[in-house]
Amino acid sequence: METISRTSTSQSEANASGKTTRAELHRPQYHFTPGKHWMNDPNGLIMFNGMYHLYYQYNPHGNQWGHMSWGHATSSDLVHWEEQAVAISEKEYMIFSGTTALASDKQTLIAAFTSFDHGLNAKGELIAKAQHQSIAKSNDGGYSYQEIATNPVLDIGSKEFRDPKLFFDDKTQKWNMLVSLSTERKIAFYHSEDLEKWKKVSEFGPLGNIDMVWECPDFFELQLHDNTTTKWILTVSAGHPQNGYLGVQYFIGDFDGTRFVPDKLPYPLYLDHGKDFYAGITFANTGRKNYATMMAWVGSHIYSADTPTDVWKGAMSLPRDLFLTATKGGYRLQSKPPHSYLASLYEKPWGRKGLQLYNGMVEPPFKSKSFMARLLLKNKGSGTAGIKFHRSEECETVVGVDFANNEVFLDRTKGATKIFDPKFPGKDFVPTDASWQTLQIDLFVDHSVVEVFVQKGEYCITNLVFPDENCNTIKLFSEGGMTFFEEFEIRNIKSIWK
Ligand code: FRU
């Protein structure tokens, strides 16, 4: 995705912003969305003084990409969010993605971001002039930032050099910054003593998925649950298992303070196999060693400009606790289904234990567009089974298992009432493993956002869907075979906005 190919919002469009009831059609009710206007990547995620700060790529003037600034929301539990004033505003350059870190005084928050210099071509379209890295500091706990006088601090004369990941390495006592050399499909590593003079120390890549440009690197250490092994994880937003779409890939390896050396694993490895989980980064300063909590933009530069929401555009994923597991094939990164974060919003469960379904359907006694479902199922090897939701005559979204092809899938072929882009409808899937005795699916449905966790997060699939108001029935199903639902549970989820 070349930066310059995006369209920018005009001022008149900007002023046409609407009201913010947060009850509009398609508006998620337990995922963060801005009250109004366009949002893409999460930026600068950090925990400070008991508060989680979520900054994000934001257009304060309209619901299309443009005028990029850092929007801001805060939360004490990663679920209930309060929108704050824009933390870093656009100047003559835009404020692109980046990260934050805590300074050694443990009071000052430091933001590293890409300043995007731009102009207009003869046709009046936005063009890139330069992308360089800048630093801003906050002395009021992350609510406002001041740029330092020596910005930009890192300029290599490139138009495709962005999304700095900033952290202080306690071992080497140096500031580190990773920046994506986007079109080269590389990540450059830099060191600094003072946040102003930066020296390149190594490069990583190309490796894994190189179909699309590389963006939004994140880099963090994780300890295995046995607390003996520690590995470094590099995540990079790039392509998707299906060419032509976007996703987040990851690498696991070792870091000697200068160079990241990946383990020999069957790259590309993806954090999520859906088409709308992008630009994910993790919270800094949480103090947790076994988990890194990630949020991602539920959207895609491929078609998000045309998604059918007016007042606002763009949602954040639920917080995902990423953890390391050791498998026969080496380490892998998995995502814990976020039940613990959401538990206070759960209504009474409805479900069954030990249900056999042969070519049948079971319908819960309620309709809902914001619910969670947990399915544990077994099958003798034929047909498909799972859950259909957002249903009516003309639409439905299906999450299930295809036992013959050994796949878990999320099918949104009929997931949007109106097809707004030919690349939108379709099916995403992950392989099932023959050694799985019981298959567990944890599903989080929230109007236009669907997040699927397979085998407690071994695989995830996240996608947008846009069903009309009347598409709201739910059915458990088994087709073409006998399925044993060892257990299933469905709960309506309360809104965080009421
Ligand atoms: C990723 C991205 C970043 C860039 C930002 C601009 O979605 O393209 O590379 O900084 O969005 O909004």
Side-chain angles (χ1 to χ4, degrees):
M1 176 90 252
E2 311 290 317
T3 312
I4 51 171
S5 69
R6 289 174 211 157
T7 48
S8 176
T9 319
S10 70
Q11 227 22 77
S12 57
E13 214 180 315
N15 296 334
S17 59
K19 56 186 184 339
T20 60
T21 61
R22 283 198 159 98
E24 307 89 347
L25 179 66
H26 305 311
R27 170 87 82 173
Q29 293 301 307
Y30 60 91
H31 286 77
F32 177 75
T33 51
K36 50 186 181 176
H37 302 322
W38 167 278
M39 172 179 79
N40 53 292
D41 315 355
N43 294 153
L45 304 183
I46 192 163
M47 150 71 122
F48 181 63
N49 277 350
M51 195 60 99
Y52 292 97
H53 292 265
L54 159 64
Y55 305 97
Y56 44 87
Q57 285 292 280
Y58 186 55
N59 179 356
H61 303 292
N63 80 341
Q64 288 295 309
W65 186 90
H67 299 288
M68 300 322 292
S69 302
W70 277 27
H72 184 203
T74 50
S75 171
S76 58
D77 61 4
L78 288 174
V79 174
H80 295 87
W81 293 99
E82 192 178 332
E83 221 171 320
Q84 306 289 349
V86 168
I88 314 180
S89 297
E90 162 189 56
K91 318 267 168 6
E92 65 277 14
Y93 45 87
M94 294 192 203
I95 313 296
F96 268 17
S97 287
T99 52
T100 57
L102 192 57
S104 55
D105 65 5
K106 304 283 176 222
Q107 290 301 323
T108 312
L109 296 184
I110 302 175
F113 61 87
T114 300
S115 18
F116 173 60
D117 280 351
H118 52 84
L120 296 177
N121 67 13
K123 289 191 216 145
E125 294 160 344
L126 189 80
I127 50 162
K129 284 189 176 162
Q131 295 186 345
H132 31 230
Q133 317 318 319
S134 294
I135 297 285
K137 296 186 179 178
S138 171
N139 297 313
D140 64 357
Y143 293 87
S144 66
Y145 284 82
Q146 291 74 45
E147 289 203 35
I148 62 172
T150 45
N151 276 341
V153 293
L154 185 52
D155 180 1
I156 59 165
S158 170
K159 295 178 189 169
E160 295 285 353
F161 180 54
R162 57 184 176 272
D163 307 338
K165 162 69 184 183
L166 177 74
F167 70 98
F168 188 76
D169 186 353
D170 291 325
K171 286 199 188 110
T172 56
Q173 289 292 303
K174 287 196 168 86
W175 284 104
N176 282 235
M177 187 153 76
L178 278 66
V179 190
S180 172
L181 296 161
S182 300
T183 44
E184 292 174 51
R185 278 76 168 159
K186 283 185 188 169
I187 303 297
F189 285 66
Y190 292 85
H191 279 174
S192 174
E193 308 277 346
D194 59 4
L195 292 165
E196 296 189 21
K197 289 181 286 311
W198 291 91
K199 185 169 160 247
K200 187 163 170 186
V201 292
S202 67
E203 269 186 3
F204 171 83
L207 186 66
N209 187 306
I210 53 166
D211 294 341
M212 298 296 204
V213 295
W214 282 21
E215 304 184 310
C216 301
D218 196 5
F219 193 55
F220 50 90
E221 222 173 348
L222 271 184
Q223 217 171 60
L224 209 68
H225 283 294
D226 66 7
N227 289 342
T228 54
T229 315
T230 298
K231 301 296 284 186
W232 280 86
I233 319 290
L234 173 65
T235 62
V236 179
S237 289
H240 181 269
Q242 293 174 44
N243 201 350
Y245 294 92
L246 303 177
V248 182
Q249 61 171 335
Y250 69 90
F251 305 93
I252 301 178
D254 298 305
F255 181 57
D256 62 5
T258 299
R259 182 172 294 277
F260 173 66
V261 180
D263 289 2
K264 288 193 173 43
L265 297 175
Y267 302 117
L269 294 169
Y270 297 97
L271 268 181
D272 192 290
H273 287 67
K275 300 200 179 94
D276 299 303
F277 187 87
Y278 195 64
I281 55 167
T282 59
F283 279 89
N285 202 38
T286 62
R288 298 170 85 191
K289 289 190 160 39
N290 303 114
Y291 292 104
T293 307
M294 175 175 274
M295 290 177 83
W297 172 37
V298 183
S300 170
H301 287 300
I302 308 292
Y303 42 67
S304 274
D306 297 320
T307 51
T309 65
D310 296 328
V311 179
W312 97 101
K313 233 181 254 302
M316 282 301 159
S317 72
L318 295 168
R320 281 190 193 176
D321 286 344
L322 309 181
F323 61 97
L324 260 187
T325 50
T327 73
K328 277 191 216 124
Y331 295 111
R332 292 289 188 280
L333 201 54
Q334 298 195 11
S335 310
K336 196 171 152 200
H339 293 294
S340 57
Y341 292 113
L342 297 171
S344 68
L345 300 172
Y346 286 171
E347 292 189 353
K348 276 203 309 286
W350 183 84
R352 292 276 184 284
K353 282 200 166 113
L355 175 86
Q356 305 244 51
L357 263 190
Y358 181 74
N359 282 347
M361 296 263 212
V362 173
E363 199 164 342
F366 59 85
K367 295 177 177 175
S368 177
K369 279 187 163 180
S370 281
F371 67 92
M372 78 81 157
R374 208 159 56 86
L375 279 62
L376 275 75
L377 33 89
K378 285 183 176 144
N379 172 291
K380 299 273 179 313
S382 61
T384 56
I387 180 164
K388 301 183 179 189
F389 52 95
H390 285 347
R391 296 182 73 245
S392 75
E393 300 259 298
E394 71 274 18
C395 50
E396 70 177 12
T397 301
V398 191
V399 169
V401 196
D402 179 336
F403 291 102
N405 292 318
N406 292 318
E407 283 165 9
V408 176
F409 62 86
L410 165 47
D411 188 350
R412 66 171 179 192
T413 309
K414 289 163 65 186
T417 312
K418 287 175 212 71
I419 305 298
F420 54 88
D421 187 305
K423 289 196 89 176
F424 187 80
K427 193 168 166 180
D428 291 294
F429 49 86
V430 298
T432 57
D433 182 331
S435 65
W436 291 348
Q437 293 294 309
T438 301
L439 192 72
Q440 177 166 340
I441 296 178
D442 290 84
L443 168 68
F444 299 87
V445 175
D446 192 9
H447 293 258
S448 46
V449 175
V450 180
E451 299 190 48
V452 184
F453 293 73
V454 181
Q455 294 302 67
K456 299 184 183 151
E458 207 165 304
Y459 295 106
C460 298
I461 314 177
T462 299
N463 274 339
L464 288 167
V465 290
F466 295 97
D468 269 358
E469 201 60 68
N470 62 333
C471 311
N472 56 8
T473 61
I474 305 170
K475 279 186 175 168
L476 270 298
F477 73 97
S478 174
E479 285 163 7
M482 170 74 82
T483 305
F484 180 65
F485 287 82
E486 209 171 275
E487 205 179 313
F488 71 82
E489 172 184 298
I490 298 180
R491 291 169 187 260
N492 195 51
I493 300 187
K494 285 187 256 198
S495 171
I496 55 172
W497 304 118
K498 285 180 183 150

